[in-house]
Amino acid sequence: MELTDLVWAAGRPTIGGATRAIAPLRAYGAERVPRQGGVVLALNHFSWIDPPAFGATCPRTIYYMAKIEAHRVPGLGQLIRAFGTFSVRRGETDRDAVRTMRRIVSEGKALGLFVEGTRQRSGVPGEVKTGAAMVALHERVPVVPATIYGSQHWRLGNFAPVTVAWGEPLTFDELPRNAKGYREASAEIGREIRRLFDWLADVHAAGRPAVAVPPR
């Protein structure tokens, strides 16, 4: 077991437990995440509570990508790097980040990408950027779309419930490994994220039953 896995093993009952306390968590479909092999986890993003919420409900160690500004925050930078998070320079082509993304999945690990590129202030999922599709197409690994709901309403102290839905793995082996293929795959990822989001809206309206199956 790698050091990062040990950090995650310690973090799930501590940071994960704290997250569950301040943002009551429920997850559906986590069994769909492949337990082994390289995979891209394509995630939407509303709040800083999202990374620990996805992490607490995922059966895999997640290697997140985060903006370089977060890595420069004293304390926070050291913490997220301990969990395997690597940096990216937003607004430009970051070849080091691209190489890191491809290396992570080629080594059989789970890469976590907030595919809209930044938090969405509108309260609904935004346009999916092409990074997740690019990695999946070049490394021939599946993409698991996952959606968080409730964190768009969550604020520290209001204890708003937060729910995660994991989708079925998507494969894009038939698509070309070029810009056209990236766009087509990204559009499909975006549709799945939105479909899960709309389903979660209904689940919240129904009181978040203990058992429910995300759409296939």
Side-chain angles (χ1 to χ4, degrees):
M1 181 178 289
E2 294 187 2
L3 178 59
T4 302
D5 294 316
L6 294 173
V7 173
W8 273 81
R12 281 198 170 91
T14 52
I15 296 176
T19 303
R20 292 179 185 277
I22 63 175
L25 274 177
R26 182 154 285 175
Y28 303 100
E31 70 280 356
R32 295 174 171 179
V33 179
R35 295 304 193 270
Q36 295 181 328
V39 62
V40 179
L41 307 177
L43 318 169
N44 71 314
H45 194 15
F46 295 124
S47 165
W48 63 263
I49 201 74
D50 297 344
F54 279 116
T57 64
C58 181
R60 298 279 298 268
T61 293
I62 303 176
Y63 289 78
Y64 282 120
M65 182 172 72
K67 60 184 180 180
I68 196 168
E69 291 83 358
H71 285 260
R72 292 171 175 164
V73 177
L76 176 63
Q78 291 89 332
L79 177 64
I80 63 177
R81 285 192 292 276
F83 279 85
T85 302
F86 63 99
S87 64
V88 63
R89 297 188 299 274
R90 295 192 302 179
E92 59 182 286
T93 300
D94 188 336
R95 297 186 184 278
D96 288 338
V98 171
R99 283 192 289 268
T100 300
M101 287 191 288
R102 295 186 61 176
R103 176 181 57 79
I104 285 169
V105 297
S106 71
E107 292 176 351
K109 299 172 182 174
L111 170 67
L113 296 179
F114 291 103
V115 291
E116 300 139 319
T118 188
R119 287 183 290 175
Q120 300 302 295
R121 307 294 186 181
S122 64
V124 296
E127 179 186 2
V128 170
K129 308 302 182 185
T130 57
M134 182 273 295
V135 173
L137 283 168
H138 280 278
E139 299 299 328
R140 297 304 189 196
V141 298
V143 175
V144 174
T147 302
I148 196 163
Y149 186 96
S151 66
Q152 71 269 40
H153 308 302
W154 182 87
R155 300 293 183 274
L156 189 62
N158 72 359
F159 300 100
V162 172
T163 311
V164 173
W166 299 90
E168 296 279 2
L170 306 173
T171 57
F172 302 105
D173 294 343
E174 76 286 357
L175 293 180
R177 288 181 282 183
N178 57 27
K180 181 176 183 293
Y182 306 158
R183 289 194 299 271
E184 290 185 17
S186 299
E188 183 171 349
I189 293 167
R191 285 191 293 270
E192 287 301 303
I193 287 175
R194 185 56 192 250
R195 190 159 70 115
L196 291 168
F197 180 84
D198 292 340
W199 179 80
L200 280 175
D202 292 337
V203 166
H204 270 237
R208 297 201 307 169
V211 178
V213 179
R216 298 183 179 276

